[in-house]
């Protein structure tokens, strides 16, 4: 690849509002930007500025700057975009927030990419070089169930330290459509899988063991997931990923996950009431407790994400949740505050009901209450969330979970200790 002054140069920016200290070395690099880099023609030079590690070089020159933004990053993304545009440098915004609110993003960008970069990025760069840049590049809504994506360009992470840069996707999309989630409304309800041979070839290119799948639901289609798990087992890979509890309804899949070098599965339990009418994920036949038990018995480390603040949650939800966690003992519970992200049906509902406290996007981060809960005050919800986190990571709770997970005792202990620190300091900082 040449590096001549005439070579077009793309700067990709991952905005961050806070510095993480040593914890930055345990983060995963942005797969979104890795894929944008992969879709960039090879005659372009590509540089990454990840604000967790780097200062964004706002005084340097680039042919174009591409910035990604989730909602909590949008305000910072706009600041960076404005700084470049004030110097006459072209800025493109993409990612979930600009996809949902392209009009807002266009106040800070020369063009916005709506949806996935792959189908439109090369055209955009050609238009730019020919002085014909359009304002909106809209990727068609994905269809069918085949996913073919260019291999990630991991060299953009060279020189930065992350937990691993070996992240990839086996699929995109999710078969469900939860009211608080943006994935299906904006990326369509097609669940697309890559060819197992293509995934195997990408895995083959990895030199270290630790690999993280960043799918919405890596086990969402058991018949497609199984061949991938077989290959990871053959290659002796250590891997983690996100799924849905219902994978435990298939005993063969559970066994395969356990045998395939899985270091942990993250699942959204969302609410232990499991009752809210529009929650399609909750058990069809088996209860959440049964499914957790099956996963635990197979020795799989399970991280469960709980959300507080649904409309059927009153003050008793905290106690009920802690009791549920004590009884079911998943390895690592995590707790989030319900956040109505723009573009979701939840956002529309709360906005129409006048329940949003503000639209200060940087505070839409799962750890602040940004709306009026139905059955308690925002303050009560916040306090309950903080206390639940603290209680779940008290030594007695940790030990009772570890006792219930004898097949992965040391891993569980290590993970829980790593989690306890940040939970304790958050509680200290905010109470
Ligand atoms: C993997 C993942 C994570 C990983 C991220 C790992 C990493 N560093 O890559 C982890 C677990 C760390 C994570 C954390 C969080 N996540 Co997350 N995550 C996802 C998930 C499941 C996939 C994202 C992904 O990488 N997809 C693959 C890439 C290739 O696709 P993509 O991001 O859509 O990018 C494509 C396009 O959007 C576009 N694009 C993106 N950026 C740009 C930029 C330019 C210039 C261009 C041209 C195009 C472009 O092109 C890309 C390639 O096609 C999504 C759900 C989803 N399906 O989007 C949620 C999601 C993005 N996360 C979400 C949230 C809320 C969070 C957290 C805030 C949750 C929390 N409080 O803990 C944190 C924030 C962490 C942080 N660093 O700030 C929300 C964001 C909602 C919103 N409106 O902001 C999502 C959409 C989940 C949801 N169901 O609502 N997440």
């Amino acid at each position: 690849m040449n590096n001549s002054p005439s070579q077009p140069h793309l700067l990709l920016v991952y905005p961050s509002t806070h510095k993480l200290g040593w914890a930055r070395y345990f983060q995963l690099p942005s797969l979104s930007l890795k894929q944008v880099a992969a879709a960039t023609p090879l005659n372009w030079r590509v540089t990454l500025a990840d604000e967790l590690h780097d200062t964004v070089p706002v005084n340097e020159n680039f042919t174009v700057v591409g910035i990604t933004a989730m909602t909590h990053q949008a305000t910072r993304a706009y600041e960076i975009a404005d700084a470049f545009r004030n110097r006459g440098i072209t800025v493109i915004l993409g990612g979930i927030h600009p996809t949902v609110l392209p009009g807002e993003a266009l106040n800070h960008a020369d063009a916005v990419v709506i949806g996935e970069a792959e189908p439109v990025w090369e055209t955009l760069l050609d238009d730019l070089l020919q002085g014909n840049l359009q304002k909106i590049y809209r990727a068609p809504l994905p269809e069918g169930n085949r996913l073919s994506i260019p291999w990630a360009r991991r060299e953009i992470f060279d020189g930065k330290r992350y937990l691993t840069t070996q992240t990839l996707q086996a699929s995109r999309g999710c078969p469900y459509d939860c009211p608080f989630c943006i994935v299906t409304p904006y990326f369509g309800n097609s669940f697309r899988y890559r060819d197992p041979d293509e995934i195997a070839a990408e895995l083959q290119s990895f030199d270290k063991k630790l690999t993280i799948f960043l799918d919405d639901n890596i086990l969402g289609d058991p018949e497609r997931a199984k061949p991938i798990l077989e290959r990871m087992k053959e290659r002796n890979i250590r891997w983690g990923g996100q799924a849905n509890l219902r994978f435990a309804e298939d005993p063969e899949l559970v066994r395969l996950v356990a045998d395939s070098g899985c270091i942990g599965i993250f699942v959204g339990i969302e609410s232990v009431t499991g009752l809210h009418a529009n929650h399609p994920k909750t058990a069809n036949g088996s209860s959440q407790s049964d499914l957790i038990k099956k996963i635990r018995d197979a020795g799989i480390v399970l991280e469960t994400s709980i959300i507080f603040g649904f409309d059927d949650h009153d003050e008793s939800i905290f106690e009920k949740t802690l009791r549920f966690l004590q009884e079911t003992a998943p390895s690592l519970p995590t707790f989030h505050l319900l956040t109505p992200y723009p573009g979701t049906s939840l956002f529309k509902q709360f906005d129409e009901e006048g329940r949003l406290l503000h639209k200060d996007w940087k505070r839409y981060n799962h750890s602040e209450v940004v709306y009026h809960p139905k059955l308690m005050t925002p303050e009560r919800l916040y306090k309950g969330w903080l206390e639940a986190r603290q209680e779940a990571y008290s030594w007695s709770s940790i030990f009772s979970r570890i006792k219930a997970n004898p097949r992965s005792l040391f891993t569980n202990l290590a993970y829980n200790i790593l989690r306890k620190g940040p939970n304790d300091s958050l509680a200290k900082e905010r109470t």
Side-chain angles (χ1 to χ4, degrees):
M1 205 186 299
N2 78 75
N3 250 353
S4 72
S6 60
Q7 183 187 20
H9 190 180
L10 164 69
L11 175 73
L12 291 173
V13 181
Y14 189 76
S16 179
T17 39
H18 53 287
K19 295 277 168 231
L20 285 181
W22 59 267
R24 70 182 182 280
Y25 302 125
F26 290 88
Q27 304 302 308
L28 297 171
S30 166
L31 182 65
S32 321
L33 291 180
K34 187 155 76 166
Q35 288 305 139
V36 176
T40 306
L42 286 172
N43 63 324
W44 280 72
R45 183 176 162 204
V46 184
T47 304
L48 170 73
D50 175 346
E51 271 204 304
L52 284 178
H53 296 268
D54 312 308
T55 304
V56 181
V58 284
N59 293 316
E60 289 177 26
N61 290 328
F62 300 93
T63 316
V64 61
V65 175
I67 309 176
T68 190
M70 287 186 245
T71 297
H72 74 286
Q73 296 169 302
T75 313
R76 178 68 190 139
Y78 297 157
E79 280 168 17
I80 299 167
D82 293 347
F84 279 111
R85 292 182 82 220
N86 287 342
R87 293 186 44 245
I89 293 178
T90 305
V91 171
I92 317 292
L93 281 163
I96 192 69
H97 191 82
T99 288
V100 173
L101 296 176
E104 176 190 288
L106 266 179
N107 292 327
H108 306 271
D110 298 284
V112 169
V113 169
I114 299 183
E116 296 180 351
E118 290 87 347
V120 296
W121 187 233
E122 218 173 316
T123 308
L124 182 153
L125 294 177
D126 281 350
D127 288 353
L128 171 78
L129 293 180
Q130 282 162 26
N132 187 27
L133 187 69
Q134 310 296 303
K135 285 200 170 311
I136 296 279
Y137 288 82
R138 186 187 296 272
L141 212 56
E143 278 178 12
N145 57 14
R146 281 295 311 273
L147 172 67
S148 185
I149 43 176
W151 280 23
R153 219 157 133 173
R154 284 189 289 138
E155 67 271 18
I156 61 168
F157 305 124
D158 286 353
K160 304 186 214 298
R161 251 170 70 198
Y162 295 99
L163 178 63
T164 176
T165 59
Q166 290 182 178
T167 58
L168 78 166
Q169 288 183 299
S171 65
R172 281 188 187 168
C174 178
Y176 307 105
D177 186 8
C178 302
F180 50 84
C181 178
I182 196 67
V183 174
T184 297
Y186 276 86
F187 294 98
N189 61 359
S190 71
F191 189 41
R192 294 163 294 149
Y193 250 88
R194 287 169 80 192
D195 186 304
D197 289 335
E198 202 182 307
I199 299 166
E202 189 166 356
L203 291 173
Q204 194 81 37
S205 75
F206 291 171
D207 49 6
K208 300 205 185 70
K209 280 195 171 185
L210 182 60
T211 294
I212 307 288
F213 280 87
L214 293 177
D215 301 45
D216 288 294
N217 189 348
I218 171 89
L219 306 173
D221 180 339
E223 294 322 308
R224 288 176 197 255
K226 286 174 190 173
I228 302 169
L229 296 170
E230 299 278 11
R231 297 194 192 210
M232 290 197 282
K233 189 173 155 190
E234 278 160 25
R235 291 218 59 222
N236 196 18
I237 280 172
R238 309 281 289 156
W239 70 278
Q242 172 174 301
N244 172 286
L245 261 193
R246 289 187 60 184
F247 85 88
E249 288 172 354
D250 181 332
E252 191 195 345
L253 189 58
V254 173
R255 189 184 47 74
L256 260 174
V257 171
D259 293 348
S260 63
C262 176
I263 58 157
I265 291 284
F266 175 94
V267 301
I269 296 234
E270 331 302 9
S271 171
V272 299
T273 53
L275 294 176
H276 38 111
N278 34 15
H279 197 305
K281 283 200 270 185
T282 40
N284 211 352
S286 332
S287 72
Q288 300 196 70
S289 323
D290 292 342
L291 297 175
I292 296 175
K293 186 166 182 321
K294 285 181 185 162
I295 299 169
R296 227 180 53 203
D297 289 350
I300 301 168
V301 170
L302 183 70
E303 174 165 355
T304 51
S305 156
I306 303 269
I307 302 177
F308 288 133
F310 288 106
D311 276 358
D312 63 345
H313 287 179
D314 60 21
E315 292 186 20
S316 67
I317 190 64
F318 307 111
E319 183 54 39
K320 275 186 201 145
T321 304
L322 288 166
R323 208 175 323 123
F324 172 87
L325 291 172
Q326 197 163 26
E327 283 160 17
T328 54
S331 308
L332 288 166
T334 59
F335 304 91
H336 300 286
L337 287 162
L338 182 65
T339 303
Y341 283 110
T344 58
S345 55
L346 192 71
F347 182 91
K348 187 166 178 282
Q349 179 202 333
F350 287 0
D351 205 14
E352 283 170 5
E353 292 172 359
R355 290 168 61 190
L356 296 176
L357 294 172
H358 54 74
K359 292 182 184 170
D360 181 357
W361 301 136
K362 63 180 172 308
R363 297 172 63 191
Y364 277 57
N365 56 16
H366 285 289
S367 27
E368 288 190 55
V369 181
V370 299
Y371 68 99
H372 280 288
K374 197 164 191 175
L375 302 176
M376 55 187 140
T377 62
E379 293 74 22
R380 182 67 189 93
L381 173 56
Y382 185 75
K383 186 165 173 275
W385 169 73
L386 269 185
E387 287 171 354
R389 289 175 67 124
Q390 231 182 341
E391 175 53 35
Y393 283 88
S394 64
W395 285 116
S396 61
S397 303
I398 290 180
F399 284 128
S400 80
R401 277 199 300 277
I402 287 171
K403 233 171 78 191
N405 285 278
R407 293 194 53 192
S408 42
L409 201 122
F410 290 109
T411 323
N412 268 293
L413 182 62
Y415 281 167
N416 272 279
I417 290 174
L418 277 174
R419 276 293 159 74
K420 183 173 170 53
N423 270 295
D424 287 352
S425 36
L426 186 86
K428 229 184 268 160
E429 201 182 288
R430 299 208 186 172
T431 40

